[in-house]
Amino acid sequence: MINLVLFGPPGAGKGTQAAFLSNEYQLIHLSTGDILREEIAADTKIGQIAKDIICRGELVPDTMVINLIKEQMDKNPTANGFLFDGFPRTVPQAEALDALLVHYGRSVSAMLSLEVEKEELVNRLMNRGTTSGRSDDSNRSVIENRIEVYNEKTAPLIQYYQSTGKYEAVNGIGSIEDITGRLKRCIERVP
Ligand code: C5P
Ligand code: MG
């Protein structure tokens, strides 16, 4: 049983790689960004709250995303494992994830951190904005804010996972297949 956190700034390639890895290792792919966008599309109460926050590139309150993750984990009690993509985004979210996994008798196996420098991230997101239909991908100042929010609130998780020996840095530059290969080599080393 394996539970992976796929980590990295916006535009690092988490969603792209999560699709390959969840298939390869038969893991349930949980993307909080995708879940929130579904809530927005369905115009639920959560979606209504999340919409403006996402448009500005800010973070949705911890309790809200933690509850969404818990709901998905509860729905999949016999899962082989989970691949968390875009979650946790803050230290309290990481602590809540640890507590949830303990409840299921599990733990985070590894945190795989895709490393890509800022200029490349902005280029990728601006490019993605032409096809993704995501308002938060098309606006340079929102993209820059998302990267700032990442640096301020999400990057401290590197230390959080380093302290338990779960952190693995992976070069996020190169072809999609090369990066998948690097991630797979890390996963195969997971005890
Ligand atoms: O992960 P992704 O980039 O798809 O997330 C899109 C947006 O959803 C983020 O920029 C943020 O506004 C919101 N989000 C959040 N908290 C999370 C995951 C996503 O606020 N844990
Ligand atoms: Mg994503």
Side-chain angles (χ1 to χ4, degrees):
M1 189 172 298
I2 182 163
N3 296 290
L4 301 172
V5 172
L6 195 50
F7 186 82
K14 299 185 296 293
T16 303
Q17 295 298 333
F20 290 110
L21 298 177
S22 56
N23 185 44
E24 175 91 15
Y25 298 100
Q26 249 111 71
L27 304 173
I28 306 265
H29 175 197
L30 293 184
S31 157
T32 30
D34 288 349
I35 297 168
L36 289 168
R37 283 184 287 275
E38 281 164 24
E39 296 282 333
I40 293 172
D43 199 26
T44 63
K45 219 171 183 157
I46 291 173
Q48 287 169 9
I49 296 167
K51 193 173 178 177
D52 290 342
I53 299 174
I54 291 180
C55 277
R56 295 198 307 272
E58 299 290 330
L59 292 184
V60 171
D62 287 334
T63 48
M64 196 175 266
V65 283
I66 292 163
N67 282 334
L68 288 169
I69 284 285
K70 180 176 186 313
E71 226 174 79
Q72 292 302 316
M73 290 173 73
D74 286 344
K75 266 193 206 161
N76 293 285
T78 59
N80 194 27
F82 295 96
L83 177 53
F84 299 95
D85 157 13
F87 177 90
R89 279 282 221 281
T90 62
V91 170
Q93 289 178 26
E95 289 167 351
L97 177 60
D98 283 345
L100 275 172
L101 288 167
V102 164
H103 177 78
Y104 292 100
R106 301 171 169 196
S107 61
V108 169
S109 314
M111 184 263 225
L112 307 171
S113 176
L114 288 168
E115 320 250 298
V116 178
E117 74 276 9
K118 182 177 170 185
E119 202 183 285
E120 170 75 7
L121 297 172
V122 175
N123 287 339
R124 285 187 187 179
L125 291 170
M126 291 294 287
N127 246 326
R128 190 170 80 179
T130 62
T131 53
S132 71
R134 284 177 54 174
S135 63
D136 60 342
D137 281 349
S138 343
N139 180 311
R140 183 176 285 268
S141 72
V142 173
I143 289 174
E144 298 212 338
N145 189 42
R146 287 164 67 195
I147 296 172
E148 259 171 51
V149 168
Y150 167 83
N151 287 330
E152 187 191 328
K153 298 191 171 146
T154 308
L157 289 177
I158 292 175
Q159 243 191 330
Y160 181 90
Y161 287 103
Q162 249 169 355
S163 71
T164 50
K166 304 283 168 75
Y167 168 78
E168 293 274 356
V170 176
N171 177 5
I173 300 280
S175 72
I176 291 176
E177 301 74 41
D178 283 351
I179 299 166
T180 309
R182 290 174 203 151
L183 289 163
K184 281 167 65 175
R185 281 193 290 281
C186 278
I187 295 168
E188 266 135 42
R189 282 202 311 266
V190 167

Short mmCIF file of all heavy atoms in Angstrom, two decimals, residues 8-11 14-15 31-37 40 50-62 65-66 69 85-90 93 125 128 134 136-137 142 146 149 154, ligand 1:
data_model
loop_
_atom_site.label_atom_id
_atom_site.label_comp_id
_atom_site.label_asym_id
_atom_site.label_seq_id
_atom_site.Cartn_x
_atom_site.Cartn_y
_atom_site.Cartn_z
N GLY A 8 4.66 20.37 -5.78
CA GLY A 8 5.37 21.30 -6.66
C GLY A 8 4.56 22.55 -6.88
O GLY A 8 3.35 22.56 -6.62
N PRO A 9 5.20 23.61 -7.37
CA PRO A 9 4.48 24.85 -7.62
C PRO A 9 3.47 24.70 -8.74
O PRO A 9 3.52 23.71 -9.49
CB PRO A 9 5.60 25.83 -8.00
CG PRO A 9 6.73 24.97 -8.46
CD PRO A 9 6.62 23.70 -7.71
N PRO A 10 2.56 25.66 -8.90
CA PRO A 10 1.61 25.60 -10.01
C PRO A 10 2.37 25.57 -11.34
O PRO A 10 3.31 26.32 -11.53
CB PRO A 10 0.81 26.91 -9.90
CG PRO A 10 1.32 27.65 -8.73
CD PRO A 10 2.37 26.86 -8.05
N GLY A 11 1.98 24.64 -12.21
CA GLY A 11 2.64 24.53 -13.51
C GLY A 11 3.82 23.57 -13.50
O GLY A 11 4.49 23.38 -14.52
N LYS A 14 2.18 18.48 -12.02
CA LYS A 14 1.60 17.51 -11.08
C LYS A 14 0.43 16.74 -11.72
O LYS A 14 0.38 15.52 -11.64
CB LYS A 14 1.09 18.22 -9.81
CG LYS A 14 2.18 18.94 -9.03
CD LYS A 14 1.66 19.53 -7.72
CE LYS A 14 0.61 20.61 -7.88
NZ LYS A 14 1.09 21.86 -8.51
N GLY A 15 -0.50 17.48 -12.31
CA GLY A 15 -1.69 16.82 -12.88
C GLY A 15 -1.32 15.86 -14.00
O GLY A 15 -1.84 14.73 -14.06
N SER A 31 -7.10 15.11 -6.77
CA SER A 31 -6.65 16.47 -7.06
C SER A 31 -7.64 17.45 -6.46
O SER A 31 -8.80 17.51 -6.90
CB SER A 31 -6.56 16.68 -8.58
OG SER A 31 -6.65 18.06 -8.88
N THR A 32 -7.20 18.19 -5.44
CA THR A 32 -8.13 19.14 -4.81
C THR A 32 -8.53 20.24 -5.79
O THR A 32 -9.66 20.70 -5.75
CB THR A 32 -7.52 19.78 -3.54
OG1 THR A 32 -6.12 19.84 -3.69
CG2 THR A 32 -7.89 19.01 -2.32
N GLY A 33 -7.60 20.64 -6.68
CA GLY A 33 -7.95 21.64 -7.69
C GLY A 33 -9.10 21.14 -8.57
O GLY A 33 -10.08 21.85 -8.80
N ASP A 34 -8.99 19.88 -9.04
CA ASP A 34 -10.06 19.31 -9.88
C ASP A 34 -11.37 19.21 -9.09
O ASP A 34 -12.44 19.50 -9.62
CB ASP A 34 -9.68 17.90 -10.38
CG ASP A 34 -8.59 17.94 -11.45
OD1 ASP A 34 -8.28 19.05 -11.95
OD2 ASP A 34 -8.04 16.87 -11.78
N ILE A 35 -11.28 18.77 -7.84
CA ILE A 35 -12.49 18.62 -7.02
C ILE A 35 -13.16 19.98 -6.84
O ILE A 35 -14.38 20.11 -7.00
CB ILE A 35 -12.17 17.99 -5.63
CG1 ILE A 35 -11.61 16.57 -5.81
CG2 ILE A 35 -13.40 17.98 -4.73
CD1 ILE A 35 -10.99 15.97 -4.54
N LEU A 36 -12.35 21.00 -6.57
CA LEU A 36 -12.92 22.36 -6.38
C LEU A 36 -13.55 22.86 -7.68
O LEU A 36 -14.61 23.47 -7.66
CB LEU A 36 -11.83 23.33 -5.90
CG LEU A 36 -11.36 23.11 -4.45
CD1 LEU A 36 -10.09 23.91 -4.17
CD2 LEU A 36 -12.45 23.51 -3.46
N ARG A 37 -12.90 22.58 -8.81
CA ARG A 37 -13.47 23.02 -10.10
C ARG A 37 -14.79 22.29 -10.38
O ARG A 37 -15.71 22.88 -10.94
CB ARG A 37 -12.45 22.83 -11.24
CG ARG A 37 -11.38 23.94 -11.24
CD ARG A 37 -10.43 23.83 -12.42
NE ARG A 37 -9.50 22.72 -12.29
CZ ARG A 37 -8.34 22.77 -11.63
NH1 ARG A 37 -7.95 23.90 -11.07
NH2 ARG A 37 -7.55 21.73 -11.54
N ILE A 40 -17.38 24.02 -8.40
CA ILE A 40 -17.75 25.30 -9.04
C ILE A 40 -18.71 25.02 -10.21
O ILE A 40 -19.74 25.67 -10.34
CB ILE A 40 -16.50 26.06 -9.53
CG1 ILE A 40 -15.66 26.51 -8.33
CG2 ILE A 40 -16.89 27.27 -10.40
CD1 ILE A 40 -14.29 27.09 -8.69
N ALA A 50 -15.46 28.89 -3.24
CA ALA A 50 -14.13 28.66 -3.83
C ALA A 50 -13.88 29.51 -5.07
O ALA A 50 -12.73 29.88 -5.36
CB ALA A 50 -13.97 27.17 -4.18
N LYS A 51 -14.94 29.83 -5.79
CA LYS A 51 -14.79 30.46 -7.11
C LYS A 51 -13.92 31.72 -7.09
O LYS A 51 -12.93 31.82 -7.83
CB LYS A 51 -16.18 30.79 -7.66
CG LYS A 51 -16.17 31.15 -9.11
CD LYS A 51 -17.58 31.30 -9.64
CE LYS A 51 -17.49 31.72 -11.10
NZ LYS A 51 -18.79 31.82 -11.71
N ASP A 52 -14.28 32.69 -6.25
CA ASP A 52 -13.53 33.96 -6.22
C ASP A 52 -12.12 33.75 -5.71
O ASP A 52 -11.18 34.39 -6.18
CB ASP A 52 -14.24 34.96 -5.29
CG ASP A 52 -15.54 35.43 -5.90
OD1 ASP A 52 -15.69 35.25 -7.12
OD2 ASP A 52 -16.39 35.94 -5.16
N ILE A 53 -11.98 32.84 -4.73
CA ILE A 53 -10.67 32.59 -4.14
C ILE A 53 -9.74 32.05 -5.23
O ILE A 53 -8.60 32.50 -5.38
CB ILE A 53 -10.78 31.58 -2.97
CG1 ILE A 53 -11.70 32.14 -1.87
CG2 ILE A 53 -9.40 31.22 -2.44
CD1 ILE A 53 -12.01 31.19 -0.73
N ILE A 54 -10.22 31.09 -6.02
CA ILE A 54 -9.42 30.49 -7.08
C ILE A 54 -9.10 31.52 -8.17
O ILE A 54 -7.97 31.58 -8.66
CB ILE A 54 -10.12 29.24 -7.66
CG1 ILE A 54 -10.12 28.13 -6.60
CG2 ILE A 54 -9.45 28.78 -8.95
CD1 ILE A 54 -10.77 26.84 -7.03
N CYS A 55 -10.08 32.34 -8.51
CA CYS A 55 -9.86 33.38 -9.53
C CYS A 55 -8.74 34.33 -9.13
O CYS A 55 -8.01 34.82 -9.97
CB CYS A 55 -11.13 34.20 -9.76
SG CYS A 55 -12.23 33.40 -10.88
N ARG A 56 -8.61 34.57 -7.82
CA ARG A 56 -7.55 35.48 -7.35
C ARG A 56 -6.23 34.74 -7.16
O ARG A 56 -5.20 35.37 -6.90
CB ARG A 56 -7.95 36.12 -6.01
CG ARG A 56 -9.16 37.04 -6.07
CD ARG A 56 -9.23 37.95 -4.84
NE ARG A 56 -9.16 37.20 -3.57
CZ ARG A 56 -10.23 36.70 -2.95
NH1 ARG A 56 -11.43 36.86 -3.45
NH2 ARG A 56 -10.09 36.04 -1.81
N GLY A 57 -6.25 33.43 -7.22
CA GLY A 57 -5.03 32.65 -7.01
C GLY A 57 -4.69 32.46 -5.55
O GLY A 57 -3.56 32.16 -5.19
N GLU A 58 -5.70 32.65 -4.68
CA GLU A 58 -5.48 32.45 -3.24
C GLU A 58 -5.85 31.02 -2.86
O GLU A 58 -6.30 30.24 -3.71
CB GLU A 58 -6.36 33.43 -2.44
CG GLU A 58 -6.06 34.90 -2.71
CD GLU A 58 -4.73 35.36 -2.15
OE1 GLU A 58 -4.29 34.80 -1.14
OE2 GLU A 58 -4.12 36.27 -2.75
N LEU A 59 -5.71 30.70 -1.56
CA LEU A 59 -6.03 29.34 -1.11
C LEU A 59 -7.39 29.28 -0.41
O LEU A 59 -7.72 30.15 0.39
CB LEU A 59 -4.96 28.81 -0.15
CG LEU A 59 -3.58 28.54 -0.73
CD1 LEU A 59 -2.68 27.94 0.35
CD2 LEU A 59 -3.66 27.60 -1.93
N VAL A 60 -8.13 28.24 -0.71
CA VAL A 60 -9.41 27.94 -0.06
C VAL A 60 -9.10 27.54 1.39
O VAL A 60 -8.04 26.94 1.65
CB VAL A 60 -10.07 26.79 -0.87
CG1 VAL A 60 -11.29 26.23 -0.18
CG2 VAL A 60 -10.41 27.26 -2.28
N PRO A 61 -9.99 27.88 2.36
CA PRO A 61 -9.70 27.55 3.77
C PRO A 61 -9.36 26.06 3.98
O PRO A 61 -9.94 25.18 3.33
CB PRO A 61 -11.00 27.89 4.49
CG PRO A 61 -11.68 28.89 3.61
CD PRO A 61 -11.27 28.57 2.20
N ASP A 62 -8.40 25.84 4.90
CA ASP A 62 -7.93 24.48 5.18
C ASP A 62 -9.08 23.51 5.47
O ASP A 62 -9.12 22.41 4.92
CB ASP A 62 -7.00 24.49 6.41
CG ASP A 62 -5.65 25.11 6.09
OD1 ASP A 62 -5.23 25.08 4.92
OD2 ASP A 62 -5.01 25.64 7.03
N VAL A 65 -10.88 22.17 2.27
CA VAL A 65 -10.20 21.17 1.43
C VAL A 65 -9.95 19.88 2.20
O VAL A 65 -10.02 18.79 1.64
CB VAL A 65 -8.87 21.69 0.81
CG1 VAL A 65 -9.13 22.60 -0.36
CG2 VAL A 65 -7.97 22.33 1.79
N ILE A 66 -9.71 20.00 3.49
CA ILE A 66 -9.50 18.79 4.30
C ILE A 66 -10.78 17.93 4.28
O ILE A 66 -10.72 16.71 4.09
CB ILE A 66 -9.07 19.16 5.75
CG1 ILE A 66 -7.67 19.77 5.73
CG2 ILE A 66 -9.13 17.93 6.67
CD1 ILE A 66 -7.30 20.53 7.00
N ILE A 69 -11.15 16.15 0.96
CA ILE A 69 -10.24 15.01 0.87
C ILE A 69 -10.75 13.84 1.71
O ILE A 69 -10.77 12.69 1.26
CB ILE A 69 -8.80 15.42 1.32
CG1 ILE A 69 -8.12 16.24 0.22
CG2 ILE A 69 -7.96 14.23 1.72
CD1 ILE A 69 -7.63 15.44 -0.97
N ASP A 85 -2.63 15.19 -5.26
CA ASP A 85 -2.11 16.15 -6.25
C ASP A 85 -2.67 17.54 -5.92
O ASP A 85 -3.87 17.75 -5.97
CB ASP A 85 -2.56 15.64 -7.64
CG ASP A 85 -2.62 16.70 -8.72
OD1 ASP A 85 -2.10 17.81 -8.54
OD2 ASP A 85 -3.21 16.38 -9.78
N GLY A 86 -1.77 18.43 -5.51
CA GLY A 86 -2.23 19.78 -5.15
C GLY A 86 -2.72 19.86 -3.71
O GLY A 86 -3.28 20.86 -3.29
N PHE A 87 -2.53 18.83 -2.97
CA PHE A 87 -2.88 18.74 -1.55
C PHE A 87 -1.81 17.89 -0.88
O PHE A 87 -1.46 16.85 -1.45
CB PHE A 87 -4.26 18.09 -1.37
CG PHE A 87 -4.66 17.90 0.07
CD1 PHE A 87 -5.34 18.88 0.74
CD2 PHE A 87 -4.32 16.73 0.75
CE1 PHE A 87 -5.70 18.72 2.08
CE2 PHE A 87 -4.65 16.55 2.09
CZ PHE A 87 -5.36 17.55 2.74
N PRO A 88 -1.32 18.22 0.28
CA PRO A 88 -1.58 19.43 1.06
C PRO A 88 -0.90 20.68 0.48
O PRO A 88 0.11 20.58 -0.20
CB PRO A 88 -0.98 19.08 2.43
CG PRO A 88 0.08 18.07 2.14
CD PRO A 88 -0.37 17.29 0.96
N ARG A 89 -1.49 21.84 0.76
CA ARG A 89 -0.97 23.13 0.30
C ARG A 89 -0.45 23.97 1.46
O ARG A 89 0.13 25.02 1.25
CB ARG A 89 -2.09 23.94 -0.34
CG ARG A 89 -2.46 23.63 -1.79
CD ARG A 89 -1.47 24.20 -2.78
NE ARG A 89 -2.00 24.80 -3.98
CZ ARG A 89 -2.42 24.15 -5.06
NH1 ARG A 89 -2.45 22.85 -5.10
NH2 ARG A 89 -2.81 24.82 -6.12
N THR A 90 -0.73 23.53 2.71
CA THR A 90 -0.30 24.28 3.90
C THR A 90 0.12 23.25 4.96
O THR A 90 -0.24 22.06 4.86
CB THR A 90 -1.46 25.10 4.51
OG1 THR A 90 -2.48 24.19 4.93
CG2 THR A 90 -2.05 26.10 3.52
N GLN A 93 -2.77 21.50 6.57
CA GLN A 93 -3.33 20.46 5.68
C GLN A 93 -2.47 19.19 5.74
O GLN A 93 -2.99 18.07 5.73
CB GLN A 93 -3.42 20.95 4.23
CG GLN A 93 -4.52 22.00 4.02
CD GLN A 93 -4.59 22.53 2.59
OE1 GLN A 93 -4.20 21.87 1.64
NE2 GLN A 93 -5.09 23.75 2.45
N LEU A 125 2.15 28.07 -17.63
CA LEU A 125 0.77 28.39 -17.23
C LEU A 125 0.11 29.32 -18.24
O LEU A 125 -1.06 29.14 -18.58
CB LEU A 125 0.74 28.99 -15.83
CG LEU A 125 1.09 27.99 -14.72
CD1 LEU A 125 1.28 28.70 -13.38
CD2 LEU A 125 0.02 26.91 -14.57
N ARG A 128 -0.82 27.09 -21.04
CA ARG A 128 -1.95 26.24 -20.68
C ARG A 128 -3.24 27.05 -20.72
O ARG A 128 -4.29 26.54 -21.09
CB ARG A 128 -1.72 25.65 -19.28
CG ARG A 128 -2.71 24.58 -18.90
CD ARG A 128 -2.29 23.87 -17.64
NE ARG A 128 -2.62 24.63 -16.43
CZ ARG A 128 -2.36 24.19 -15.19
NH1 ARG A 128 -1.75 23.05 -15.00
NH2 ARG A 128 -2.69 24.92 -14.15
N ARG A 134 -9.13 27.79 -17.95
CA ARG A 134 -9.06 28.20 -16.54
C ARG A 134 -8.71 29.68 -16.46
O ARG A 134 -7.66 30.09 -16.95
CB ARG A 134 -8.00 27.37 -15.81
CG ARG A 134 -8.46 25.97 -15.48
CD ARG A 134 -7.38 25.15 -14.84
NE ARG A 134 -6.79 25.78 -13.65
CZ ARG A 134 -5.91 25.18 -12.87
NH1 ARG A 134 -5.52 23.95 -13.15
NH2 ARG A 134 -5.41 25.80 -11.82
N ASP A 136 -7.70 31.28 -13.99
CA ASP A 136 -6.50 31.53 -13.20
C ASP A 136 -5.22 31.18 -13.96
O ASP A 136 -4.13 31.41 -13.48
CB ASP A 136 -6.56 30.80 -11.85
CG ASP A 136 -6.69 29.28 -11.96
OD1 ASP A 136 -7.07 28.78 -13.04
OD2 ASP A 136 -6.41 28.60 -10.97
N ASP A 137 -5.34 30.62 -15.18
CA ASP A 137 -4.16 30.33 -16.00
C ASP A 137 -3.87 31.43 -17.02
O ASP A 137 -2.80 31.47 -17.59
CB ASP A 137 -4.36 29.03 -16.80
CG ASP A 137 -4.15 27.78 -15.95
OD1 ASP A 137 -3.64 27.90 -14.83
OD2 ASP A 137 -4.49 26.69 -16.44
N VAL A 142 -2.34 36.94 -11.79
CA VAL A 142 -2.89 35.84 -10.97
C VAL A 142 -1.87 34.70 -10.90
O VAL A 142 -1.64 34.13 -9.83
CB VAL A 142 -4.25 35.34 -11.54
CG1 VAL A 142 -4.72 34.09 -10.79
CG2 VAL A 142 -5.32 36.42 -11.45
N ARG A 146 -0.21 33.18 -7.59
CA ARG A 146 -0.24 31.75 -7.22
C ARG A 146 1.16 31.27 -6.84
O ARG A 146 1.32 30.48 -5.91
CB ARG A 146 -0.80 30.92 -8.37
CG ARG A 146 -2.31 31.10 -8.55
CD ARG A 146 -2.80 30.59 -9.89
NE ARG A 146 -2.69 29.15 -10.03
CZ ARG A 146 -2.77 28.52 -11.20
NH1 ARG A 146 -2.96 29.21 -12.31
NH2 ARG A 146 -2.67 27.22 -11.25
N VAL A 149 1.98 32.72 -3.41
CA VAL A 149 1.25 31.99 -2.36
C VAL A 149 1.94 30.64 -2.13
O VAL A 149 2.11 30.19 -1.00
CB VAL A 149 -0.25 31.79 -2.75
CG1 VAL A 149 -0.94 30.80 -1.84
CG2 VAL A 149 -0.97 33.13 -2.73
N THR A 154 3.06 27.15 0.85
CA THR A 154 3.17 25.73 0.47
C THR A 154 4.62 25.23 0.56
O THR A 154 4.85 24.12 1.03
CB THR A 154 2.59 25.52 -0.94
OG1 THR A 154 1.28 26.08 -0.99
CG2 THR A 154 2.51 24.04 -1.29
O1 C5P B 1 -3.97 22.31 -7.75
P1 C5P B 1 -4.49 23.32 -8.73
O2 C5P B 1 -3.42 24.21 -9.30
O3 C5P B 1 -5.35 22.71 -9.77
O4 C5P B 1 -5.43 24.27 -7.88
C1 C5P B 1 -6.11 25.35 -8.48
C2 C5P B 1 -6.51 26.34 -7.41
O5 C5P B 1 -7.38 25.71 -6.46
C3 C5P B 1 -5.38 26.90 -6.58
O6 C5P B 1 -4.71 27.97 -7.23
C4 C5P B 1 -6.12 27.36 -5.34
O7 C5P B 1 -6.79 28.58 -5.58
C5 C5P B 1 -7.16 26.26 -5.16
N1 C5P B 1 -6.69 25.22 -4.25
C6 C5P B 1 -6.70 25.48 -2.88
N2 C5P B 1 -6.28 24.56 -1.99
C7 C5P B 1 -5.85 23.35 -2.41
C8 C5P B 1 -5.83 23.05 -3.80
C9 C5P B 1 -6.26 24.00 -4.69
O8 C5P B 1 -7.08 26.60 -2.49
N3 C5P B 1 -5.45 22.44 -1.50
#
